[in-house]
Amino acid sequence: MADNRPTRDDLYTEAVASCGSALDRLARAYEVDPDKRRDLLQEIHVALWQSFEDFEGRCSLKTWVYRVAHNTATSVVIRKKMRAPALVDLEEVDASVQNESEQVLDHQATLDRVWALIQKLKPQDKQVILLYLEGMDSALIGEITGFSPGNVATKIHRIKNLLSRKFHQGERSAK
Amino acid sequence: MSLEEVRAKAQQFQKRIRRRNIREYSAMVLALVMAIPLAVFFRSFPLIVVAMGLIIAGTLFIAYQFRKRMSTRSFLAEAASMSCLEFYRRELERQRDANLRIWSWYILPMLPGTAMMLIGMALMPALGPGVALFYAVAFTAAFIFTGVANKRGARRLQQKIDELRS
């Protein structure tokens, strides 16, 4: 009897079609340097393709893709932790935002700063907000990250407040 | 990335691992080959010959431990089956344990060979106890520094693990 299960190549193609651009954004959130970011993205794609050898459909393709991508990126972050600037808690990010001097910012600059804030977050906060920004609900975010849906909601609330303050600060400065 | 590019990258990655393995094995073979004339040269000092053998054995053991800790297969299985929180905690714990066990898998295997080498040096008329003592102090300082630095690293990692649990 013919095996109708999708092959590793089929699964990878499907994953890239549905989550390819999200993986680009994910790499951006983990790596500031463009060259290193490209390397990270390639590492994620290769890990993803290799991982599909063992995909048995016990979870959704989306959950699988985001777990492999985030965990690969986290592993890279841990490996280079001695060279990288320290990752900080939300409270510290918040304080650093409030202490910054007023400066004129256009929309792109504000977005860049929001990305810079996301890049500074610890892996678990970064994962939650990135998945939220990809439009996922608390249950799916919880399944991928391992946090309870309630915990996810709290984290999203706190990070959103911080990012929102950042946006408004940028708008006020632009006026 | 297209499928072809990913396949090519995966192959490159495998080739890189193969090349690294070949390099490591070549270095070991080279060390063994270089040890033979040294062993012949020091044949009248059996302690030095035995010490060299122990240092080579210790190096092989460390290389094996490194290999054991860097399995790509188990990494992929865990990356796909574990939640991000679980995986992050596991990675931190793995690194903490590697730091804590540095004595047993990195320093301890080198101790018998180093100690025997120092005793051999102390008994050699051309070197004597003074030179041996100098190297003994240097090796001890290096071992202690490595151990303390890793213990400190393990403490920092434990703090991060505790933060995840709180």
Side-chain angles (χ1 to χ4, degrees), chain A residues 83-155:
Chain A
R83 299 192 302 265
L87 299 172
V88 298
D89 285 320
L90 279 179
E91 289 75 12
E92 292 171 53
V93 175
D94 200 6
S96 75
V97 169
Q98 285 165 356
N99 293 337
E100 281 172 5
S101 60
E102 288 282 317
Q103 48 184 275
V104 178
L105 295 167
D106 60 17
H107 184 65
Q108 185 56 45
T110 308
L111 275 177
D112 287 345
R113 289 183 72 184
V114 170
W115 269 110
L117 285 174
I118 293 175
Q119 283 162 347
K120 279 187 194 173
L121 293 174
K122 286 185 171 179
Q124 57 274 28
D125 293 327
K126 195 182 316 215
Q127 287 151 5
V128 168
I129 196 64
L130 281 174
L131 294 170
Y132 173 77
L133 291 173
E134 294 300 335
M136 293 182 200
D137 59 26
S138 295
L140 187 52
I141 296 173
E143 195 190 337
I144 294 167
T145 60
F147 289 111
S148 68
N151 211 334
V152 168
T154 309
K155 275 182 180 291

Side-chain angles (χ1 to χ4, degrees), chain B residues 7-91:
Chain B
R7 278 210 199 98
K9 280 282 163 201
Q11 274 173 1
Q12 267 178 23
F13 183 63
Q14 293 300 332
K15 271 187 197 159
R16 212 159 56 214
I17 290 174
R18 255 201 309 275
R19 275 202 297 271
R20 190 195 64 197
N21 290 347
I22 290 170
R23 259 200 321 271
E24 279 177 11
Y25 291 131
S26 307
M28 281 177 206
V29 170
L30 190 69
L32 283 169
V33 169
M34 282 169 70
I36 293 168
L38 277 174
V40 173
F41 184 77
F42 286 112
R43 64 187 180 280
S44 49
F45 300 99
L47 269 180
I48 299 284
V49 177
V50 174
M52 281 165 57
L54 286 173
I55 288 174
I56 289 170
T59 311
L60 291 174
F61 180 78
I62 292 169
Y64 166 73
Q65 289 293 324
F66 263 116
R67 180 66 41 80
K68 214 171 78 174
R69 283 157 209 271
M70 295 174 79
S71 159
T72 317
R73 186 81 185 162
S74 63
F75 166 79
L76 282 172
E78 288 181 1
S81 63
M82 287 181 174
S83 71
C84 298
L85 186 63
E86 214 180 341
F87 181 86
Y88 184 49
R89 187 185 298 134
R90 182 69 68 91
E91 286 283 293

Side-chain angles (χ1 to χ4, degrees), chain B residues 66 69 91-106 150-151 154 157:
Chain B
F66 263 116
R69 283 157 209 271
E91 286 283 293
L92 292 174
E93 285 171 350
R94 207 195 321 262
Q95 197 155 344
R96 176 204 59 191
D97 294 344
N99 282 13
L100 284 175
R101 290 186 196 135
I102 190 126
W103 284 101
S104 59
W105 70 272
Y106 194 75
N150 276 277
K151 202 163 185 181
L157 289 163

Side-chain angles (χ1 to χ4, degrees), chain A residues 2-175:
Chain A
D3 189 354
N4 290 326
R5 280 187 309 176
T7 64
R8 171 161 73 171
D9 289 354
D10 294 338
L11 290 164
Y12 174 76
T13 308
E14 190 184 336
V16 170
S18 60
C19 310
S21 52
L23 295 180
D24 294 348
R25 289 188 287 274
L26 186 150
R28 182 177 181 185
Y30 278 93
E31 184 53 68
V32 183
D33 182 83
D35 287 335
K36 288 181 187 163
R37 189 186 305 155
R38 201 183 53 237
D39 291 346
L40 172 63
L41 190 60
Q42 286 180 352
E43 205 167 324
I44 291 170
H45 276 272
V46 172
L48 205 53
W49 180 69
Q50 289 176 324
S51 75
F52 282 131
E53 188 71 37
D54 299 320
F55 183 76
E56 289 169 347
R58 287 193 192 139
C59 63
S60 73
L61 187 74
K62 209 172 187 178
T63 301
W64 182 279
V65 169
Y66 282 104
R67 273 185 178 174
V68 171
H70 275 294
N71 288 341
T72 303
T74 301
S75 175
V76 171
V77 169
I78 292 176
R79 280 206 307 259
K80 63 167 197 179
K81 71 178 192 314
M82 299 311 284
R83 299 192 302 265
L87 299 172
V88 298
D89 285 320
L90 279 179
E91 289 75 12
E92 292 171 53
V93 175
D94 200 6
S96 75
V97 169
Q98 285 165 356
N99 293 337
E100 281 172 5
S101 60
E102 288 282 317
Q103 48 184 275
V104 178
L105 295 167
D106 60 17
H107 184 65
Q108 185 56 45
T110 308
L111 275 177
D112 287 345
R113 289 183 72 184
V114 170
W115 269 110
L117 285 174
I118 293 175
Q119 283 162 347
K120 279 187 194 173
L121 293 174
K122 286 185 171 179
Q124 57 274 28
D125 293 327
K126 195 182 316 215
Q127 287 151 5
V128 168
I129 196 64
L130 281 174
L131 294 170
Y132 173 77
L133 291 173
E134 294 300 335
M136 293 182 200
D137 59 26
S138 295
L140 187 52
I141 296 173
E143 195 190 337
I144 294 167
T145 60
F147 289 111
S148 68
N151 211 334
V152 168
T154 309
K155 275 182 180 291
I156 290 171
H157 180 70
R158 292 175 64 202
I159 302 170
K160 259 170 69 182
N161 272 349
L162 171 68
L163 297 182
S164 157
R165 267 204 306 280
K166 189 68 220 124
F167 266 116
H168 291 136
Q169 189 185 41
E171 281 170 9
R172 275 200 309 276
S173 302
K175 285 173 193 168

